[in-house]
Amino acid sequence: AQKVTQAQTEISVVEKEDVTLDCVYETRDTTYYLFWYKQPPSGELVFLIRRNSFDEQNEISGRYSWNFQKSTSSFNFTITASQVVDSAVYFCALSEAGTALIFGKGTTLSVSS
Amino acid sequence: DTAVSQTPKYLVTQMGNDKSIKCEQNLGHDTMYWYKQDSKKFLKIMFSYNNKELIINETVPNRFSPKSPDKAHLNLHINSLELGDSAVYFCASSQDSNSWNTGELFFGEGSRLTVL
């Protein structure tokens, strides 16, 4: 069973639009961690955020914000006023006890000017 | 000074050959990993080592053999390369003391392997 689902394969927006990337996860553990990583066209993987299962506070970092909702097993990522430099593949990931990071299949975001 | 470095960055080889990818981290982390990213960008864990000991070994063909001479190095050797092995291989490290990722994974820049 897929543990991390990113239903949006590709999203295209125009600069300055807001965009939300969805992530739904599945786990039976009560303690787990959720992550978002960014992979720009250059190929490296860049850490964006980590959340543990006991901290449902939403987080904002500049134009980025994250909405963690245990009730719906979702950890969505919103980019406000998107820019061309935000174009990348974004991965949501889950960490459970005894496992390495399990990644979703990624969402490719294209921001055009 | 690169935190997690992999060599080579690009590798083109023929089917049937044996090749190695090296990885070194200077972060003092205890745990290192190999991930494979296929042509559809799917990232999948292959191996995880904690302090030179293998702790995660996903369903990977026996042709793939990781080797960790010390906790700062995790090399990946691949025997009898096949077309399907073409992918980008990422090395990573983390501070975690066990197999559970509670913290950030630091990734290398990836090694793109092309098998002809």
Side-chain angles (χ1 to χ4, degrees):
Chain A
Q2 197 168 351
K3 300 260 187 174
V4 180
T5 303
Q6 295 180 255
Q8 305 147 309
T9 308
E10 294 183 13
I11 301 176
S12 293
V13 299
V14 178
E15 256 192 326
K16 297 185 185 174
E17 280 186 37
D18 298 348
V19 58
T20 295
L21 310 181
D22 297 334
C23 174
V24 173
Y25 62 93
E26 181 188 323
T27 180
R28 292 182 179 177
D29 289 2
T30 53
T31 304
Y32 52 90
Y33 289 80
L34 295 162
F35 300 77
W36 276 94
Y37 279 81
K38 173 183 179 180
Q39 187 174 37
S42 49
E44 72 272 24
L45 284 153
V46 180
F47 167 81
L48 294 177
I49 191 172
R50 178 193 65 167
R51 258 287 174 267
N52 74 54
S53 52
F54 299 109
D55 182 2
E56 280 195 80
Q57 275 194 336
N58 292 333
E59 175 143 347
I60 298 174
S61 175
R63 296 184 297 107
Y64 294 172
S65 62
W66 290 269
N67 184 343
F68 176 27
Q69 290 196 349
K70 286 175 77 169
S71 60
T72 55
S73 296
S74 65
F75 186 42
N76 297 338
F77 172 30
T78 297
I79 302 175
T80 304
S82 59
Q83 299 176 2
V84 172
V85 293
D86 295 327
S87 296
V89 182
Y90 290 87
F91 293 96
C92 181
L94 166 70
S95 167
E96 300 169 303
T99 71
L101 223 51
I102 303 164
F103 286 85
K105 293 190 175 181
T107 297
T108 299
L109 174 64
S110 299
V111 182
S112 56
S113 55
Chain B
D1 207 16
T2 307
V4 181
S5 58
Q6 303 178 222
T7 53
K9 285 194 169 55
Y10 300 96
L11 188 51
V12 180
T13 188
Q14 300 284 335
M15 272 175 57
N17 284 349
D18 303 338
K19 289 293 176 188
S20 291
I21 306 172
K22 295 185 177 181
C23 179
E24 175 181 4
Q25 54 97 0
N26 62 10
L27 297 167
H29 288 167
D30 289 324
T31 310
M32 295 184 72
Y33 311 81
W34 278 108
Y35 278 83
K36 178 181 179 180
Q37 186 172 43
D38 62 22
S39 58
K40 295 184 179 177
K41 298 286 189 181
F42 184 44
L43 270 163
K44 190 169 162 52
I45 181 70
M46 299 174 70
F47 301 103
S48 173
Y49 269 73
N50 178 259
N51 222 349
K52 303 192 298 174
E53 284 191 29
L54 180 66
I55 52 173
I56 290 176
N57 183 353
E58 291 296 310
T59 310
V60 177
N62 291 339
R63 299 181 295 103
F64 289 79
S65 53
K67 283 189 173 54
S68 182
D70 55 61
K71 75 173 194 177
H73 295 84
L74 180 60
N75 304 324
L76 183 65
H77 188 75
I78 315 170
N79 289 329
S80 304
L81 279 156
E82 299 178 357
L83 293 176
D85 297 333
S86 295
V88 180
Y89 292 86
F90 283 96
C91 176
S93 73
S94 67
Q95 185 58 59
D96 312 296
S97 60
N98 53 36
S99 62
W100 189 7
N101 276 127
T102 59
E104 177 185 351
L105 272 185
F106 290 78
F107 283 91
E109 292 182 340
S111 297
R112 181 176 293 277
L113 171 65
T114 303
V115 182
L116 304 174

